[in-house]
Amino acid sequence: MMTRILCTLTIRNLTAVLIFTVLPVLLSCINHSESISPVRKDITDEVIASGHIIFSDDYLVATNAEGFILKSYVRAGDEVDIGDLLFQLSNEVQSSQLDNAMEQYQDARFKSSAQSPQIVAQRKQIEQAKSQVVQDKTNFERYSILIKTNAVSKLDYEKAELQYQASLSELAVLEKNLEDLRSGLNLNLKNAESQLRIQQDYLGDYFITSTRKGRVLQIYKEQGELARRGELL
């Protein structure tokens, strides 16, 4: 009985101690609480998305040839004008082809000129044929006079006439041959000139220039890199 009373008192004392301990803490929290006041602000709707800027008159520069970039003349942000050189590509093979085309053109040009050995030889033959025509004509005219007085036979007269006609025919053939020779040589010259222009145009593909006035926005290939046909620079 005594033990039960002591336990009851102990529990009551402990309860009282807890009450008196918690109460100051609660009072302290109440005293130190912060006040909150409403604030009026504008609500702004924001939309965040990824994308890129598109210019109204932009264009991409690609190469029509293949080679290493020997020199880059521009950087991003540079201003360029029409015809400005942008890149230079290696062109050893194309330079060799251009040299061959130039040699063929010069050879064809010389052969079609008045100093061409073929033309000179053909003209010499024509000059000789002309001299023969003059000689045979003179001889035929003499026989034409002599035949009237029966000073020469009809057979000799006919021989002189045939010789004169043969000389005229030979001269006509030689002159036609010269005309055909010149036409063929001139045709070869035109073909060689056309090939030369083509190779020059091909070589121009290794020098990339600007076709418009504007600003460089981005460089895709750096100096020393290999640029393949159709790739962006």
Side-chain angles (χ1 to χ4, degrees):
M1 182 68 177
M2 188 64 171
T3 300
R4 183 179 299 175
I5 294 172
L6 289 174
C7 289
T8 303
L9 292 174
T10 301
I11 293 172
R12 289 179 179 177
N13 292 334
L14 181 58
T15 302
V17 171
L18 290 174
I19 293 174
F20 283 105
T21 302
V22 174
L23 184 59
V25 175
L26 293 174
L27 293 174
S28 174
C29 291
I30 294 173
N31 292 333
H32 290 83
S33 63
E34 297 180 358
S35 61
I36 299 176
S37 300
V39 178
R40 181 183 179 87
K41 291 185 177 180
D42 295 334
I43 298 177
T44 303
D45 293 334
E46 294 184 1
V47 177
I48 301 176
S50 61
H52 62 278
I53 300 174
I54 299 177
F55 293 86
S56 60
D57 195 25
D58 63 337
Y59 75 102
L60 300 173
V61 177
T63 173
N64 292 326
E66 180 174 330
F68 290 95
I69 300 178
L70 295 180
K71 183 69 175 177
S72 177
Y73 296 92
V74 292
R75 295 178 298 178
D78 288 351
E79 297 285 343
V80 295
D81 206 344
I82 298 176
D84 286 352
L85 186 60
L86 304 178
F87 302 94
Q88 179 183 350
L89 304 181
S90 59
N91 52 14
E92 291 82 2
V93 176
Q94 184 57 39
S95 295
S96 177
Q97 292 178 351
L98 178 60
D99 291 340
N100 293 334
M102 178 62 73
E103 291 178 1
Q104 293 177 3
Y105 168 73
Q106 291 176 345
D107 181 66
R109 183 178 180 182
F110 173 72
K111 288 181 178 179
S112 63
S113 66
Q115 291 76 30
S116 170
Q118 292 175 284
I119 293 179
V120 171
Q122 191 70 21
R123 291 177 64 181
K124 285 183 178 180
Q125 292 182 5
I126 291 176
E127 292 300 323
Q128 292 174 357
K130 286 182 178 180
S131 299
Q132 186 66 42
V133 167
V134 172
Q135 180 180 346
D136 291 340
K137 180 182 180 182
T138 302
N139 190 49
F140 172 66
E141 290 176 346
R142 185 170 65 86
Y143 273 77
S144 297
I145 295 173
L146 294 176
I147 192 66
K148 294 178 180 179
T149 59
N150 295 322
V152 294
S153 65
K154 185 177 181 181
L155 180 60
D156 291 335
Y157 169 78
E158 291 177 349
K159 286 182 179 180
E161 183 180 13
L162 291 174
Q163 180 61 38
Y164 175 53
Q165 296 295 332
S167 298
L168 289 175
S169 298
E170 180 67 17
L171 177 60
V173 170
L174 292 175
E175 289 177 339
K176 182 65 168 56
N177 290 341
L178 178 59
E179 182 180 352
D180 293 342
L181 176 62
R182 284 175 173 171
S183 297
L185 294 176
N186 287 332
L187 180 60
N188 291 337
L189 175 61
K190 290 181 179 180
N191 292 335
E193 186 177 4
S194 176
Q195 289 298 320
L196 178 60
R197 286 200 188 100
I198 291 174
Q199 296 302 328
Q200 287 174 338
D201 290 340
Y202 285 161
L203 183 64
D205 291 336
Y206 290 83
F207 296 87
I208 294 89
T209 58
S210 174
T211 58
R212 300 182 187 179
K213 182 178 181 180
R215 176 178 297 173
V216 179
L217 299 178
Q218 185 177 358
I219 301 293
Y220 295 94
K221 292 284 186 180
E222 299 296 334
Q223 187 169 314
E225 289 189 60
L226 175 63
R228 299 187 183 277
R229 190 183 304 272
E231 286 188 339
L232 298 179
L233 299 178

